[in-house]
Amino acid sequence: MKAPIATDPTAMSVADLARAYREKILSPHDVIRAHLARIDRFNGVLNAYVTVADTALDEAKRVAREWRAGHDRGPLHGVPFAVKDQLTTQGMRTTAGSRLLANWIPRSDATVVRRARDAGAILLGKLNMTEFAFGEPRKYPYGTPRNPWDIERETGGSSSGAGAALAVGMATIAIGEDTAGSIRQPAAYCNVVGLRPSWGLVSRHGLIPGVWHLDTVGPMARTVEDVAHILHAIAGRDPADATTRGDAVPDYVASLRHDVRGVRAAIVKELLPGPGLDGDVEAAVRTAVDTLRGLGLTIDEVSIPAVQHVWAIYSAMADPEAAMTHLEHLRRSPERLGPNLRIRLASGLLVPAALARWGERVGGPAVTRQILDALRAYDVLLAPTTPTAARLIRTLPYSSPTKAQIIETQIADRAYRATFALAGVPSLAVPCGFTSAGLPCSLQIVGAPFADDVVLRVGHAYEQATDWHTRRPPVDRIGRPAPAAARTRNGADARRRDRRPPPASQGTRARSAAPGRRAPSRAARPARSRGEKTRA
Amino acid sequence: MAPVQSQGGRPEIPNAFNATSRTILEVSMRRRALGGRQVRAALDQLGVRLLDESEYAEVALRLSIILESLEPLMAAWPPADEFQLPADLPRPRSRRG
């Protein structure tokens, strides 16, 4: 007997949607309309989207015709998706969370966006993020995203909007980017699933870059199976990105059905318990480990002593690269960058070359070596994804933090995710419980390079044994409905005075996300001064 | 402003600024005497200005923490075996010795 399909299209999985289309229970048009209504209702408070695509309904009509004609493009055919605003979208503005790019309309899609579209997915819009994926966690140029589990709390970043959008059904699937934890932290804080894939598995062509040797594009969704569906669609060699591997892409969805009994797992001793670990999070992760043991995994403990040094090694390696990437932004328009970003980039410029080179040649490889040694003995490593649940936005340091605040909010937190980013290994964040305050906790499952299928299989088995991933935020408490989104061209803000039409070559329209109840951000105004122009 | 696009190759490591300034900066860092003034002087040479003194001070703080954390490691973790000076390489003698 088939399992019943969820009745709310905004709560459906990829498999549910495909079945609903196949059995003509729903049309892609119904599904997109339901998602747009959801965005209109919640985005004004949650600030998950920076730009909502006006093309979605037209695309849905086209996809519906394809379904009626019996043309099935696969599991993502007709699935609503959204992407972090760090990935270019043809004809739709791409801001990278920066006011400097408020009106930049790229000519082409990032490879992953194109691959998702080719698989039949329908683009709903662009998701909010910290400025250039490095910026301030408290004040975002396009409105600070709010956590739907408690709107006074952060969503995590830098794929910030993705966590909130997935949690409340403003998208079925999303594509984010993870430099040192930017997919996994918002997944953890918002009770959704996020995978940082193996470095080199997914193309970065069309990604506004931050750190060349760490930036990793990856999937986010409400279930591990949906994450596997996206990964299958976007992974694989891309001639436009020389860092991608040419191996055949495994069937990640099929591999979920393989047994996990006998999988060798090890808890990372330095992270469970690790620096700053909250008691409720620790208890949830330990219970999750017990569940995995019950599923037949062997559980051991392994030591990765380098964990304690990760923040400094990461900063010495990543900050100089990011500073170089954005040097011209820093030189020409420092006042249009947030203070956190200005300070990080300036620090990166001044990290002595000897330190940066040491980080690249010795520090980073030492961390990697310890992780790979552990992964020779074990199939997966286990750790909390974050040491705490989502923090209150008002308590996050904003400008001029003290040394103690830097240590508390950055150094401890960084150890849990940047450790695995430095090694380039796949790391999956899976919901694993709640704190006593009702906030999500997350288990991190880490695998060997290009063993993304193993990581997904363990995550899926865990999901089948628990129901944490099925829990959704109390949406009736999210706040009053936001006003309908104001329609503008090319996603530029409705308040802009300069209503220059888009270049003739761009026929796609988009609308800006509803500004909501908060004061409008200056950031969304068009960049007009200091010689900045809208680029086509 | 043109956004920075994906690069085909690895970006250059920065710090190609005036060597004297870098030396002053590094010496200050090692003496734990790094402050906003030195940071400002170094950034000036790179054509970068921050918005106020507290930002220069925060850069100094961040750099100090990085150096404090890494200096002991740099001594404890030598480069990989395949790229070290041979152990029997004659060591430079101290002039006083």
Side-chain angles (χ1 to χ4, degrees):
Chain A
M1 197 175 104
K2 286 181 188 171
I5 292 182
T7 50
D8 176 4
T10 64
M12 286 181 165
S13 67
V14 167
D16 278 349
L17 284 173
R19 195 173 131 200
Y21 294 154
R22 220 168 273 131
E23 296 178 4
K24 298 185 170 49
I25 297 168
L26 283 172
S27 78
H29 195 260
D30 300 330
V31 171
I32 295 301
R33 220 173 31 202
H35 279 84
L36 291 175
R38 200 85 170 164
I39 294 167
D40 273 349
R41 182 173 169 202
F42 293 120
N43 198 53
V45 175
L46 298 181
N47 288 317
Y49 280 85
V50 173
T51 305
V52 180
D54 253 357
T55 50
L57 281 171
D58 289 342
E59 271 192 60
K61 283 179 189 165
R62 184 178 51 75
V63 170
R65 281 196 298 275
E66 290 177 353
W67 272 106
R68 282 197 297 274
H71 179 196
D72 182 350
R73 291 205 230 175
L76 295 190
H77 198 187
V79 173
F81 83 113
V83 297
K84 186 178 184 181
D85 209 15
Q86 196 178 356
L87 290 156
T88 57
T89 40
Q90 183 178 13
M92 189 187 301
R93 76 168 174 175
T94 298
T95 68
S98 168
R99 60 192 74 192
L100 289 168
L101 304 183
N103 293 299
W104 179 53
I105 298 170
R107 288 190 184 130
S108 60
D109 282 338
T111 296
V112 291
V113 174
R114 183 174 45 74
R115 286 181 176 175
R117 288 195 208 253
D118 288 348
I122 299 168
L123 183 64
L124 283 172
K126 307 299 290 292
L127 296 165
N128 207 348
M129 57 182 286
T130 56
E131 196 176 10
F132 286 124
F134 270 94
E136 185 56 53
R138 185 162 155 187
K139 289 191 178 177
Y140 286 57
Y142 296 92
T144 299
R146 291 177 174 269
N147 192 315
W149 291 93
D150 176 352
I151 61 170
E152 299 304 322
R153 293 179 186 269
E154 62 177 332
T155 57
S158 63
S159 303
S160 323
L166 291 165
V168 299
M170 293 197 281
T172 305
I173 55 175
I175 302 175
E177 182 276 335
D178 189 310
T179 301
S182 294
I183 285 175
R184 292 164 286 160
Q185 189 188 47
Y189 285 172
C190 297
N191 207 48
V192 300
V193 180
L195 173 70
R196 174 194 171 91
S198 298
W199 194 86
L201 181 63
V202 177
S203 170
R204 303 180 299 171
H205 173 69
L207 178 78
I208 305 300
V211 183
W212 181 91
H213 70 282
L214 291 173
D215 288 354
T216 303
V217 174
M220 298 174 72
R222 290 187 288 268
T223 66
V224 174
E225 184 176 328
D226 284 2
V227 160
H229 277 299
I230 314 166
L231 186 64
H232 190 69
I234 64 175
R237 169 120 180 86
D238 176 14
D241 180 353
T243 64
T244 50
R245 263 188 31 165
D247 303 1
V249 175
D251 186 338
Y252 294 110
V253 181
S255 75
L256 298 180
R257 290 190 285 272
H258 297 168
D259 202 348
V260 294
R261 274 176 295 184
V263 169
R264 299 163 304 165
I267 296 166
V268 178
K269 194 171 120 186
E270 287 78 10
L271 294 176
L272 192 65
L277 184 62
D278 172 81
D280 286 354
V281 175
E282 179 177 354
V285 173
R286 288 198 186 279
T287 304
V289 171
D290 288 342
T291 303
L292 290 173
R293 188 181 285 113
L295 291 171
L297 280 79
T298 62
I299 308 284
D300 207 341
E301 193 175 73
V302 70
S303 177
I304 301 178
V307 159
Q308 61 186 305
H309 307 298
V310 159
W311 181 84
I313 294 170
Y314 165 79
S315 299
M317 294 169 69
D319 289 7
E321 275 200 34
M324 213 50 198
T325 303
H326 297 294
L327 180 58
E328 288 311 304
H329 296 148
L330 186 62
R331 273 186 178 146
R332 292 186 197 175
S333 308
E335 70 285 355
R336 302 187 74 205
L337 301 173
N340 193 53
L341 182 62
R342 261 196 314 272
I343 286 157
R344 259 189 95 176
L345 297 181
S347 304
L349 280 179
L350 300 183
V351 169
L355 248 65
R357 297 297 292 174
W358 178 88
E360 269 195 348
R361 228 183 91 216
V362 182
V367 176
T368 302
R369 200 162 43 244
Q370 290 184 12
I371 290 169
L372 296 185
D373 283 349
L375 286 167
R376 267 189 278 280
Y378 301 100
D379 300 307
V380 292
L381 306 180
L382 305 172
T385 306
T386 59
T388 66
R391 299 162 294 188
L392 287 165
I393 293 168
R394 66 174 178 273
T395 65
L396 299 173
Y398 180 66
S399 192
S400 302
T402 62
K403 185 173 180 178
Q405 281 176 319
I406 290 178
I407 290 169
E408 181 192 330
T409 60
Q410 298 181 35
I411 296 180
D413 183 64
R414 192 68 80 189
Y416 290 84
R417 297 176 304 283
T419 301
F420 307 114
L422 285 172
V425 292
S427 316
L428 180 74
V430 190
C432 75
F434 288 82
T435 65
S436 52
L439 299 168
C441 306
S442 176
L443 169 70
Q444 189 171 200
I445 304 166
V446 180
F450 296 95
D452 301 63
D453 55 332
V454 176
V455 164
L456 290 169
R457 196 192 327 154
V458 173
H460 180 67
Y462 175 73
E463 247 185 22
Q464 299 311 298
T466 58
D467 69 352
W468 303 118
H469 66 287
T470 64
R471 307 207 184 172
R472 300 273 67 92
V475 291
D476 51 324
R477 281 195 270 149
I478 284 179
R480 64 189 170 84
R487 285 170 184 258
T488 65
R489 307 191 75 166
N490 296 317
D493 191 272
R495 297 173 300 277
R496 59 183 288 189
R497 292 175 191 166
D498 175 9
R499 292 180 181 270
R500 286 172 290 185
S505 61
Q506 291 147 9
T508 312
R509 288 172 300 140
R511 58 186 176 175
S512 69
R517 63 186 176 182
R518 285 153 37 79
S521 158
R522 291 182 60 202
R525 293 178 191 160
R528 299 180 64 188
S529 59
R530 286 170 291 281
E532 293 174 22
K533 295 174 182 172
T534 301
R535 267 170 67 94
Chain B
M1 178 176 288
V4 185
Q5 279 290 0
S6 291
Q7 297 153 13
R10 193 165 196 140
E12 288 294 310
I13 294 294
N15 308 307
F17 63 92
N18 182 293
T20 308
S21 170
R22 187 170 62 208
T23 306
I24 292 168
L25 192 77
E26 288 193 40
V27 167
S28 302
M29 287 166 82
R30 286 178 200 289
R31 285 181 182 164
R32 306 284 185 268
L34 182 66
R37 198 166 49 83
Q38 291 97 328
V39 165
R40 183 176 199 141
L43 287 175
D44 276 352
Q45 295 195 34
L46 290 170
V48 169
R49 63 185 166 81
L50 301 180
L51 298 199
D52 60 47
E53 294 308 318
S54 71
E55 294 191 354
Y56 290 107
E58 193 179 334
V59 171
L61 175 63
R62 194 177 166 89
L63 284 168
S64 300
I65 298 175
I66 292 172
L67 193 77
E68 274 175 36
S69 310
L70 287 187
E71 246 187 354
L73 283 187
M74 290 175 79
W77 295 1
D81 292 343
E82 70 275 10
F83 203 68
Q84 283 201 65
L85 295 174
D88 56 348
L89 193 76
R91 302 236 166 193
R93 288 183 196 158
S94 161
R95 284 185 184 174
R96 284 185 213 162

